[in-house]
Amino acid sequence: MSLASLANDPELQKFVAEKELENQLTAQVHHLTNVCFDKCLESNGNLSELSSRHTTCLQNCVDRFLDCTTLITNRTIQRIQQGR
Amino acid sequence: MSLDTQKLDGSQRQQIMMSVQQQLALQNAQELLQKLSDKCFKACVAKPGSSLSSSEQKCITSCSDRYMDAWHIVSRTYAERIKREQYRH
């Protein structure tokens, strides 16, 4: 078994590509949880459970953060195209 | 340099795939643990004493439970968002 045999194995390549994608998505979940925990739970340690208000806030936080990223991406592309 | 034309057999491939899977799971767990400690230490331990008080311990326990709850909600919401985006294109 050599690096060449690893690299030339299509099933393994497909598996690694899938895992890399999965890993990226998981990393994004970690990041979103990090941001939204602070935003929605206000770093409150002593909650015995999450209320529906907290749950809604977390859901909104995820969607709004992603909207924010999309907006910034589009704006940045726009600026590049305008040559600024 | 001679080209190694030997292919992987089924069990070798399985072994490698399992090893990669395990490493990624471990990495994920470590990341989570790190985040939990950071967040809950910050939220629960205002001034570090010579040991963790029982109220600090209770706070840390709740905090880590709530963070895990939040993680699952975020994970579901994110997955649903991705599905929605896919159907748009």
Side-chain angles (χ1 to χ4, degrees):
Chain A
M1 195 166 74
S2 69
L3 284 176
S5 63
L6 290 178
N8 291 328
D9 190 296
E11 200 183 316
L12 201 57
Q13 280 181 331
K14 182 164 166 277
F15 175 79
V16 167
E18 279 171 6
K19 287 299 154 189
E20 269 178 5
L21 180 59
E22 221 178 83
N23 209 34
Q24 272 175 24
L25 297 177
T26 305
Q28 181 73 305
V29 172
H30 279 305
H31 183 69
L32 287 165
T33 306
N34 195 20
V35 168
C36 296
F37 186 83
D38 287 343
K39 271 260 181 272
C40 294
L41 275 62
E42 291 151 353
S43 308
N44 189 342
N46 266 316
L47 297 167
S48 56
E49 62 168 19
L50 294 184
S51 69
S52 59
R53 187 169 51 95
H54 289 131
T55 302
T56 304
C57 180
L58 287 167
Q59 290 167 334
N60 286 337
C61 177
V62 171
D63 279 321
R64 297 302 72 76
F65 186 91
L66 294 171
D67 289 343
C68 177
T69 305
T70 302
L71 192 60
I72 288 172
T73 303
N74 291 339
R75 182 63 176 166
T76 306
I77 290 169
Q78 208 177 36
R79 286 178 66 102
I80 290 168
Q81 286 172 342
Q82 287 168 356
R84 282 194 274 161
Chain B
M1 187 177 91
S2 67
L3 284 173
D4 188 349
T5 53
Q6 199 176 36
K7 286 196 178 8
L8 292 175
D9 68 39
S11 78
Q12 280 177 325
R13 190 182 298 113
Q14 277 296 89
Q15 258 187 339
I16 293 167
M17 281 163 71
M18 233 170 50
S19 171
V20 169
Q21 186 81 308
Q22 280 170 357
Q23 281 180 32
L24 287 174
L26 186 63
Q27 200 182 320
N28 190 34
Q30 282 177 335
E31 171 92 38
L32 208 50
L33 235 61
Q34 176 79 293
K35 288 284 194 291
L36 281 168
S37 292
D38 283 349
K39 284 279 179 266
C40 298
F41 188 79
K42 190 171 163 188
C44 297
V45 183
K47 279 175 76 161
S50 54
S51 67
L52 287 176
S53 70
S54 60
S55 67
E56 282 169 339
Q57 286 181 39
K58 183 169 166 291
C59 177
I60 289 167
T61 305
S62 310
C63 172
S64 62
D65 286 347
R66 298 299 75 76
Y67 192 88
M68 287 309 304
D69 292 342
W71 199 93
H72 287 122
I73 291 169
V74 168
S75 180
R76 260 198 329 262
T77 308
Y78 185 53
E80 281 163 22
R81 171 71 177 241
I82 289 172
K83 258 204 321 230
R84 279 207 310 274
E85 297 288 314
Q86 279 183 335
Y87 285 128
R88 221 181 277 174
H89 311 115

